[in-house]
């Protein structure tokens, strides 16, 4: 009964409900602007809210977090510029739908599926947090490394066409992610003795350049063409559409919760893995993946929103942040005299249930704000290209500069935009480059930790992989995913089907 009262605190106090709503509204529109990340917004909030009561401060932060994760899909669908890394996979099928005049349908589906994914993540947080956190603690550095390799093998899903070009693009992304000083030895890598490169290359600058600037340059070829008129007949997807995609959304939400609960991963990796899963389990999509498949929207959006609930699990039960935003929230709780972790669950369970209540309220507000203003948003796509191209460039420059307030990030963004334009022109996919940059640090750091923990003995490392059930499952998964992308596998499959 006490837990229920704590859960209902946010729903019964108008001030807290208003703060969650304001936070969610702000999060949706902050998340939609490339470069203005949720992490940045929440970190700025700490300086404004440190003198507040803990409940209003946390309510506002949770609203911004939930809204921001969803908001990244808006510009991904409308302009092919992901507002956040977790929306990269959404752009692969959302933007082709907008080009067909179905932007309203795409945004409606992403909103409802984000709502479903968010609720599944919150449900797991409320009902099974201790079990999921125990599972997350079983992950050793070698398991994170295998998870990163598994993620890199998603190049097959993100490469519409040549797998060889996809592998090249993925390797390029890993190399870009490795630029800068080595985090352990502080040795320079790929810096060419340039001080500009010692701090590495901003991932956001690469993403905005590759997607935003390259898109603006491609649009220059069609500047005289009329804009595609959007058919806004039905925004909320039908019950039949939701029921059809419910099994997939449950599967990808599970991926989101588990990946979200692993410290240092987050919704961007969860979304890409969910997209790959959708491609594998969807046998006959009505529209091919990469051309506007509905499943290509359902999978990443349910996964990245479910990862929000997943990220709170290690934070609340262990005091370990699931991602960058929950790391900031741990700092906010410390400022207010609370100590996140096992003792918080015992000494102050009311805070746990209050956070669950805030997440539920934010999820409802996200649905409300997500389904309103769609007609206005879709007018962006209907702008003349002579207006749209400068708008894309302006958003790209502002987004790249906003990350570190650095003009050098703008130069990197423009450089990668031109490079991305030529990659697209010659049929090289951009998704694997971004995937490589995302996973580069996860792979590098955990390989180093794993091999150091085994005293730099490869034999002991592989013995650990074989003797640990979790490592063995991940290792087998890596082998199967790799083999399934080779011509030998496809030949064997076709031979088997012919015989049967």
């Amino acid at each position: 009964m006490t837990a229920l009262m704590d859960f209902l605190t946010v729903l019964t106090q108008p001030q807290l409900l208003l703060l969650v709503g304001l936070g969610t509204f702000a999060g949706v529109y902050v998340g939609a602007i490339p470069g203005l990340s949720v992490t940045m917004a929440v970190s700025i909030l700490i300086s404004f809210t440190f003198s507040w009561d803990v409940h209003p401060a946390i309510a506002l932060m949770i609203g911004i977090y939930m809204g921001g994760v969803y908001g990244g899909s808006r510009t991904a669908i409308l302009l092919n510029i992901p507002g956040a890394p977790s929306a990269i996979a959404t752009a692969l099928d959302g933007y082709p739908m907008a080009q067909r005049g179905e932007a309203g349908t795409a945004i409606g589906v992403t909103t409802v599926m984000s709502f479903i994914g968010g609720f599944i993540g919150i449900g797991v947080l409320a009902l099974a947090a201790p079990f999921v956190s125990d599972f997350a603690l079983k992950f050793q550095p070698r398991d994170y490394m295998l998870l990163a390799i598994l993620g890199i093998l998603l190049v097959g899903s993100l490469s519409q066409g040549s797998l060889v070009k996809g592998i090249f693009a993925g390797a390029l992304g890993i190399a870009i992610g490795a630029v800068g000083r080595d985090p352990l030895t502080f040795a320079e890598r790929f810096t060419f003795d340039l001080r500009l490169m010692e701090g590495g290359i901003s991932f956001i600058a690469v993403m905005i350049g590759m997607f935003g600037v390259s898109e603006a340059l491609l649009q220059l070829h069609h500047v005289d063409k009329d804009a595609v008129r959007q058919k806004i007949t039905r925004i909320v997807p039908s019950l039949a559409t939701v029921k059809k995609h419910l099994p997939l959304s449950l599967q990808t939400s599970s991926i989101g919760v588990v990946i979200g609960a692993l410290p240092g991963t987050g919704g961007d990796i969860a979304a890409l893995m969910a997209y790959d899963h959708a491609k594998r389990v969807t046998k006959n999509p009505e529209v091919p993946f990469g051309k506007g498949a509905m499943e290509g929207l359902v999978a990443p959006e349910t996964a990245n929103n479910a990862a929000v609930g997943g990220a709170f699990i290690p934070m609340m039960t262990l005091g370990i942040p699931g991602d960058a935003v929950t790391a900031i929230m741990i700092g906010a709780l410390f400022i207010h005299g609370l100590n996140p972790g096992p003792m918080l669950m015992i000494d102050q369970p009311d805070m746990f249930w209050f956070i669950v209540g805030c997440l539920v309220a934010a999820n409802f507000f996200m649905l409300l704000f997500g389904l309103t203003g769609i007609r206005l948003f879709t007018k962006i796509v209907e702008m003349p290209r002579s207006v749209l191209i400068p708008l894309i460039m302006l958003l790209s420059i502002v987004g790249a500069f906003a990350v570190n307030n650095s003009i050098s990030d703008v130069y990197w963004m423009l450089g990668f935009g031109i490079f991305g334009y030529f990659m697209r022109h010659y049929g090289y996919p951009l998704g694997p480059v971004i995937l490589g940059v995302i996973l580069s640090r996860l792979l590098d750091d955990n390989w180093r930790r794993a091999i150091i923990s085994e005293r730099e003995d490869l034999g002991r490392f592989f013995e650990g992989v074989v003797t640990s059930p979790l490592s063995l499952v991940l290792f087998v998964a890596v082998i199967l995913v790799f083999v399934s992308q080779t011509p030998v596998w496809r030949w064997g499959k076709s031979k088997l089907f012919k015989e049967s």
Side-chain angles (χ1 to χ4, degrees):
M1 191 65 185
T2 309
L4 181 63
M5 293 304 296
D6 296 329
F7 171 77
L8 293 173
T9 301
V10 69
L11 305 177
T12 54
Q13 294 190 23
Q15 181 202 2
L16 293 176
L17 202 58
L18 178 65
L19 284 169
V20 174
L22 282 172
T24 309
F25 181 81
V28 168
Y29 291 95
V30 166
I33 301 171
L36 298 186
S37 68
V38 184
T39 310
M40 186 192 305
V42 173
S43 60
I44 290 169
L45 268 182
I46 283 189
S47 60
F48 287 102
T49 61
F50 74 92
S51 61
W52 293 16
D53 247 3
V54 64
H55 286 147
I58 294 297
L60 189 60
M61 287 180 195
I62 285 175
I64 284 187
Y65 185 17
M66 187 64 87
V69 170
Y70 159 74
S73 64
R74 286 285 173 99
T75 43
I77 292 167
L78 297 174
L79 301 174
N80 199 28
I81 311 174
S86 57
I88 290 168
T90 306
L92 298 176
D93 286 281
Y95 186 61
M97 286 184 74
Q99 289 181 309
R100 293 202 307 261
E102 299 171 9
T105 305
I107 293 174
V109 167
T110 56
T111 304
V112 172
M113 290 304 168
S114 295
F115 177 76
I116 291 171
F119 254 117
I120 291 169
I122 296 163
V124 174
L125 169 66
L127 302 174
F131 304 106
V132 178
S133 62
D134 285 347
F135 175 69
L137 278 178
K138 288 184 170 64
F139 272 70
Q140 301 292 320
R142 62 171 175 266
D143 302 318
Y144 280 101
M145 186 203 77
L146 289 167
L147 191 68
I149 294 171
L150 197 59
I152 287 164
L153 291 175
L154 301 184
V155 292
S157 289
L158 302 180
S159 310
Q160 284 111 29
S162 168
L163 179 62
V164 174
K165 287 181 176 179
I167 291 169
F168 169 79
L172 176 67
I174 293 171
I176 292 168
V179 170
R181 287 194 176 274
D182 185 289
L184 289 180
T185 64
F186 216 56
E188 294 182 16
R189 297 190 298 196
F190 304 124
T191 60
F192 304 102
D193 290 328
L194 296 172
R195 291 195 65 185
L196 174 72
M197 299 179 74
E198 285 183 13
I201 299 171
S202 165
F203 156 62
I204 300 294
V206 178
M207 183 186 79
I208 293 173
M210 286 271 184
F211 282 95
V213 176
S214 70
E215 181 61 35
L217 294 174
L218 278 177
Q219 293 281 355
L220 287 172
H221 292 283
H222 314 290
V223 75
D224 295 325
K225 284 188 180 178
D226 292 333
V228 177
R229 294 288 158 197
Q230 299 298 319
K231 302 184 284 287
I232 313 291
T233 50
R234 184 179 184 131
I235 292 170
V236 181
S238 66
L239 190 61
T241 302
V242 174
K243 281 175 69 177
K244 178 185 174 184
H245 298 297
L246 193 59
L248 177 63
S249 66
L250 292 172
Q251 293 167 38
T252 52
S253 295
S254 304
I255 293 170
V257 172
V258 173
I259 299 296
L262 298 176
T265 50
D268 42 0
I269 296 173
L272 290 163
M273 287 193 159
Y275 185 83
D276 176 72
H277 176 77
K279 283 192 78 171
R280 292 177 189 282
V281 299
T282 308
K283 300 300 179 190
N284 299 301
E286 292 177 12
V287 180
F289 279 87
K291 305 291 183 185
M294 197 72 79
E295 293 83 359
L297 294 177
V298 171
E301 285 303 307
T302 49
N304 64 25
N305 282 271
V308 173
F312 273 92
I313 291 172
M315 170 188 148
M316 299 302 294
T317 57
L318 305 168
I320 301 169
D323 61 6
V325 180
T326 48
I328 294 165
M329 285 195 180
I330 285 176
L333 289 172
F334 272 122
I335 287 169
H336 289 94
L338 299 171
N339 188 12
M343 295 313 294
L344 181 71
M345 303 282 286
I346 296 165
D347 297 338
Q348 290 178 299
D350 58 306
M351 181 51 66
F352 174 83
W353 289 107
F354 172 76
I355 287 174
V356 172
C358 286
L359 286 166
V360 170
N363 208 34
F364 273 109
F365 278 119
M366 182 208 55
L367 181 68
L368 174 66
F369 297 137
L371 293 175
T372 53
I374 288 179
R375 291 178 191 279
L376 184 64
F377 255 97
T378 52
K379 293 295 178 190
I380 295 171
V381 192
E382 295 180 355
M383 286 180 182
R385 283 183 170 84
S386 56
V387 177
L388 189 61
I389 292 169
L391 177 67
I392 292 172
M393 290 300 296
L394 179 65
L395 278 173
S396 299
I397 291 167
V398 169
F401 182 77
V403 182
N404 299 311
N405 289 337
S406 168
I407 196 69
S408 62
D409 283 349
V410 177
Y411 296 145
W412 280 122
M413 180 270 298
L414 292 171
F416 278 107
I418 295 166
F419 186 64
Y421 164 77
F422 283 107
M423 283 186 71
R424 289 171 76 168
H425 184 72
Y426 289 104
Y428 285 85
L430 301 183
V433 179
I434 308 302
L435 180 69
V437 179
I438 291 171
L439 293 173
S440 178
R441 181 52 63 88
L442 185 69
L443 177 66
D444 183 25
D445 288 357
N446 286 290
W447 158 249
R448 305 282 282 283
R449 286 179 192 138
I451 203 69
I452 288 170
S453 67
E454 301 295 354
R455 298 176 187 173
E456 300 188 6
D457 186 335
L458 269 177
R460 287 184 58 175
F461 172 80
F462 281 109
E463 184 186 343
V465 169
V466 175
T467 53
S468 163
L470 182 57
S471 301
L472 187 59
V473 167
L474 285 168
F475 183 70
V476 171
V478 166
I479 299 297
L480 288 176
V481 170
F482 177 75
V483 171
S484 71
Q485 295 185 17
T486 59
V488 176
W489 176 273
R490 287 192 290 274
W491 175 81
K493 240 172 107 178
S494 61
K495 199 93 165 137
L496 191 67
F497 279 120
K498 276 181 187 175
E499 287 174 5
S500 57

